[in-house]
Amino acid sequence: MDPREQIVDAARSLFGRSLTHGSTGNISLRVPEGALITPTGSSLGTVTPEGISLMSLEGAHLDGPRPSKEAFLHAAVLRERPSAQAVVHTHSTYAAAVSCLGDLDHEDVLPPLTAYYAMRVGRLPLLPYHAPGDQALEPIVAAAARRHSALLLSNHGPVVAGSTLASAADALEELEETAKLFLLLRGMPVRLLSSEQQTLLASPDQQRITKKGS
């Protein structure tokens, strides 16, 4: 499928399932020239292939409408994760709610509640608050992206990279559902996955089994 059509399909899916709202959220996809990204001020529910922007991996605007003001976040993640082909950022409700809590482990925000969260997301760091579009966040995102495929921006929302656009969107949705579980279970005794169970889930054999059964 054409990369622009891929972005539009993913954007419609995220918007249609209320994982983003209004003109929030942005999607990028690596291409030979750099990266395609949704434009500034656009809704993921109405963006068109012709309305997609092109930027360099340094974040420079190359073609099309002006890219999202958060394009530098996408560029930083794509530079630091050469195997990542796509980045999805939303203000999804439950993940954004978690990002506002004051008693979190900033090194690993969400506990390993489910197998799919452990496989698709793993550790999730919380990055310090910066206003949307504040480029002072870029080196912080870059440093975190070297070690993690998913990040949570304080009082903002998640940023998730994937080897494909579909896998990035899947991981973002898994993160959102785990944030929902986390909020529902706060104050209750919880049985978490053990470190041994998490290690097994991260093994290549288990990853292949899971992909076959998905």
Side-chain angles (χ1 to χ4, degrees):
M1 183 188 291
D2 178 81
R4 293 172 183 269
E5 294 284 358
Q6 288 185 52
I7 291 176
V8 169
D9 282 358
R12 296 279 196 278
S13 177
L14 292 171
F15 189 87
R17 290 177 294 129
S18 299
L19 289 165
T20 185
H21 59 276
S23 60
T24 65
N26 26 79
I27 298 172
S28 64
L29 182 62
R30 192 189 296 269
V31 291
E33 305 90 335
L36 296 169
I37 186 167
T38 49
T40 188
S42 67
S43 166
L44 295 189
T46 59
V47 68
T48 64
E50 298 75 24
I52 302 295
S53 307
L54 177 66
M55 67 174 180
S56 72
L57 292 186
E58 286 68 48
H61 180 199
L62 300 178
D63 194 22
R66 191 157 57 93
S68 165
K69 64 177 172 289
E70 294 170 327
F72 68 92
L73 299 179
H74 293 252
V77 173
L78 291 170
R79 286 197 309 270
E80 297 299 332
R81 301 190 69 82
S83 63
Q85 296 301 305
V87 177
V88 179
H89 166 53
T90 67
H91 301 176
S92 45
T93 303
Y94 293 100
V98 169
S99 81
C100 299
L101 295 175
D103 58 347
L104 300 171
D105 177 356
H106 288 207
E107 296 299 315
D108 193 11
V109 177
L110 293 174
L113 292 169
T114 69
Y116 278 95
Y117 178 79
M119 287 186 290
R120 291 178 175 168
V121 179
R123 295 179 68 84
L124 178 68
L126 180 70
L127 305 191
Y129 173 77
H130 287 72
D134 183 351
Q135 297 198 10
L137 185 57
E138 183 172 1
I140 299 170
V141 166
R146 289 175 202 138
R147 296 179 292 119
H148 304 282
S149 62
L151 317 170
L152 187 60
L153 309 180
S154 289
N155 301 84
H156 193 157
V159 177
V160 181
S163 58
T164 65
L165 183 48
S167 67
D170 283 348
L172 183 135
E173 188 165 8
E174 197 66 46
L175 192 161
E176 175 70 358
E177 289 301 310
T178 303
K180 183 177 182 179
L181 289 174
F182 176 72
L183 293 170
L184 286 170
L185 293 168
R186 273 172 74 83
M188 299 182 186
V190 176
R191 182 181 61 256
L192 302 178
L193 297 180
S194 68
S195 57
E196 291 79 11
Q197 287 169 328
Q198 292 177 70
T199 299
L200 177 61
L201 289 167
S203 71
D205 287 345
Q206 181 61 45
Q207 295 283 345
R208 283 193 292 271
I209 291 169
T210 302
K211 285 180 181 178
K212 286 180 182 179
S214 295

